[in-house]
Amino acid sequence: MSKYTTPKLYTGKAITFVPKGSTKSKELAKNIWYVNYTYEGKQIRVKGDLNRIKDASEKEFQAQVLLESIKLDLANGYNPLDETQWVADRIKETCSLSKAIVHFKQYHKENNSRIKTIGTYMSKLNALSSFYPNILLLEITTKKLQAFIKAKIADGTYSQASVKSAKRTFSTFFNVCIVEGLIKINPYEGFDKKINSTKETKEQHTPFNDGDLNTIFTYLDQNDMYCAFFCRMIYYTCLRPAEIRGLKLENIDLVNNTITIPPSVKKVTKNNEKEIIEINESFKPFLEQLNLDQYPNQYYLTGDSKNITGEKRVGENTPYNNLTSALKKLELN
């Protein structure tokens, strides 16, 4: 049984008198017009902008347009009792890959992702968008993703490291699209793991040796105490820079030799539980030298690029920029 009755146009009372100089159609156009139908037993009347139109022929034309559009929308699942959901569904159906990528970029900006991380994502996603111009997000399939990767391998663009990066990017991108309600299934799922590149990967991340580390810390101790402390904390705690930036003095317990990482600071939050790590004995003296007792508990441990401890959280890229500047001067970049 149909949820709705066939929409019909109602033009008001029949015209029985036509004044001199007028016509029947002009007089009819003065009535209140509307499209009427019932949906799940409830009467629905749609006037649109019909009754603002004075010209009889134009009103008739627009009335027919309104009538046919309502019929089409109903046939396509439109629910006048829940317009929000219907509009959301239409947005999904018409969302292009390029628009979804813009949405994805904004999503990561709002979630304070690093600029470099966003740039890595965007390089792979923009390449995919260029490969499939004007494609809808819903039209992206596992086969299309595999075809894109194979093409990049074939033309020598992607090394094995690039392939792995692209796979991670696609998995993340489509998962965000699911979270944002743009799609229901991640097309990356089921991607053929046997698709690999034989192109040699350029060496990029070479670990520093002990001599390099000694050179770096000696330079930082003499020129940038803040960056020296920040880097030592990464070295001795293995915490992420963003997690270190978020730590407050209340999270540092020198008596019990622990650092507490609250859920609001952790990058990976599978639960709402805090994480507690032990302070390395080699690192503890550097914490004690800060005389943390002289500051309020709500101060940030690394909140000031000059004084180290500070009232506000230091800029996202400040420690990174300080370190890269030092590495360039040491020719270790």
Side-chain angles (χ1 to χ4, degrees):
M1 184 177 177
S2 178
K3 291 184 178 181
Y4 58 89
T5 58
T6 302
K8 294 181 179 180
L9 176 65
Y10 287 82
T11 58
K13 295 181 179 180
I15 302 303
T16 58
F17 173 76
V18 179
K20 187 176 181 180
S22 183
T23 63
K24 190 174 182 178
S25 61
K26 287 181 179 180
E27 293 303 310
L28 188 63
K30 295 177 182 178
N31 288 344
I32 300 298
W33 291 20
Y34 59 90
V35 174
N36 186 81
Y37 64 98
T38 61
Y39 190 95
E40 294 183 346
K42 295 184 178 181
Q43 187 179 56
I44 308 295
R45 287 186 177 184
V46 183
K47 297 178 181 178
D49 292 326
L50 290 181
N51 297 303
R52 294 182 181 181
I53 302 173
K54 304 302 179 182
D55 182 78
S57 58
E58 177 66 16
K59 189 169 186 175
E60 175 63 32
F61 174 77
Q62 294 299 336
Q64 292 303 318
V65 170
L66 177 63
L67 178 62
E68 294 305 316
S69 67
I70 291 174
K71 288 181 179 179
L72 183 61
D73 287 346
L74 288 169
N76 288 327
Y78 173 64
N79 180 355
L81 306 180
D82 187 8
E83 293 184 346
T84 302
Q85 184 58 50
W86 188 82
V87 171
D89 290 341
R90 298 294 78 71
I91 291 175
K92 293 178 190 177
E93 292 175 1
T94 59
C95 181
S96 65
L97 173 62
S98 58
K99 285 184 179 179
I101 291 173
V102 172
H103 189 79
F104 174 80
K105 183 177 181 180
Q106 185 60 34
Y107 172 90
H108 277 279
K109 284 184 176 180
E110 292 174 354
N111 284 276
N112 299 316
S113 296
R114 285 184 59 200
I115 295 175
K116 189 174 181 180
T117 300
I118 297 175
T120 300
Y121 287 147
M122 295 307 294
S123 67
K124 299 296 185 293
L125 293 174
N126 287 334
L128 179 66
S129 183
S130 296
F131 193 79
Y132 292 117
N134 303 317
I135 194 171
L136 294 178
L137 181 63
L138 290 175
E139 294 176 327
I140 296 292
T141 63
T142 305
K143 288 185 177 180
K144 282 186 169 62
L145 292 178
Q146 292 178 165
F148 166 76
I149 295 293
K150 288 179 179 178
K152 290 297 181 181
I153 293 173
D155 67 13
T157 301
Y158 280 2
S159 65
Q160 184 55 24
S162 301
V163 170
K164 288 182 179 180
S165 177
K167 288 179 179 179
R168 288 193 298 268
T169 295
F170 295 154
S171 178
T172 301
F173 170 68
F174 289 109
N175 277 333
V176 169
C177 288
I178 290 174
V179 171
E180 294 297 293
L182 298 175
I183 55 175
K184 293 182 178 180
I185 300 175
N186 189 334
Y188 175 74
E189 299 298 329
F191 194 97
D192 189 353
K193 296 181 180 179
K194 296 179 181 179
I195 299 177
N196 296 300
S197 174
T198 57
K199 181 181 178 181
E200 183 178 350
T201 300
K202 182 180 179 182
E203 193 68 47
Q204 289 182 318
H205 302 293
T206 305
F208 291 122
N209 57 41
D210 290 341
D212 292 334
L213 286 174
N214 183 59
T215 299
I216 292 168
F217 280 118
T218 298
Y219 177 86
L220 291 176
D221 284 337
Q222 295 173 355
N223 298 277
D224 192 338
M225 290 298 295
Y226 176 83
C227 191
F229 176 82
F230 202 99
C231 289
R232 278 195 176 91
M233 190 158 188
I234 293 176
Y235 184 80
Y236 284 112
T237 66
C238 292
L239 290 175
R240 297 177 176 87
E243 293 172 330
I244 294 175
R245 286 177 54 246
L247 290 177
K248 295 183 177 181
L249 300 192
E250 64 183 4
N251 304 129
I252 311 300
D253 187 345
L254 293 178
V255 175
N256 294 305
N257 220 41
T258 61
I259 297 175
T260 300
I261 302 94
S264 59
V265 172
K266 291 164 59 179
K267 180 177 181 180
V268 181
T269 54
K270 293 182 179 179
N271 53 53
N272 290 323
E273 297 179 3
K274 60 187 179 183
E275 182 180 349
I276 300 177
I277 63 173
E278 186 176 348
I279 297 174
N280 186 291
E281 285 300 325
S282 297
F283 180 57
K284 189 172 183 178
F286 294 99
L287 285 169
E288 292 174 331
Q289 290 171 12
L290 298 179
N291 298 315
L292 302 180
D293 290 341
Q294 65 181 311
Y295 302 104
N297 274 342
Q298 289 303 307
Y299 268 42
Y300 287 93
L301 176 64
T302 58
D304 191 310
S305 60
K306 293 182 179 180
N307 193 48
I308 300 181
T309 300
E311 185 176 2
K312 298 181 180 179
R313 184 180 300 198
V314 75
E316 178 182 356
N317 293 311
T318 298
Y320 176 79
N321 291 338
N322 286 14
L323 176 60
T324 54
S325 176
L327 295 178
K328 287 179 181 179
K329 291 178 181 179
L330 294 170
E331 297 185 351
L332 288 173
N333 55 310

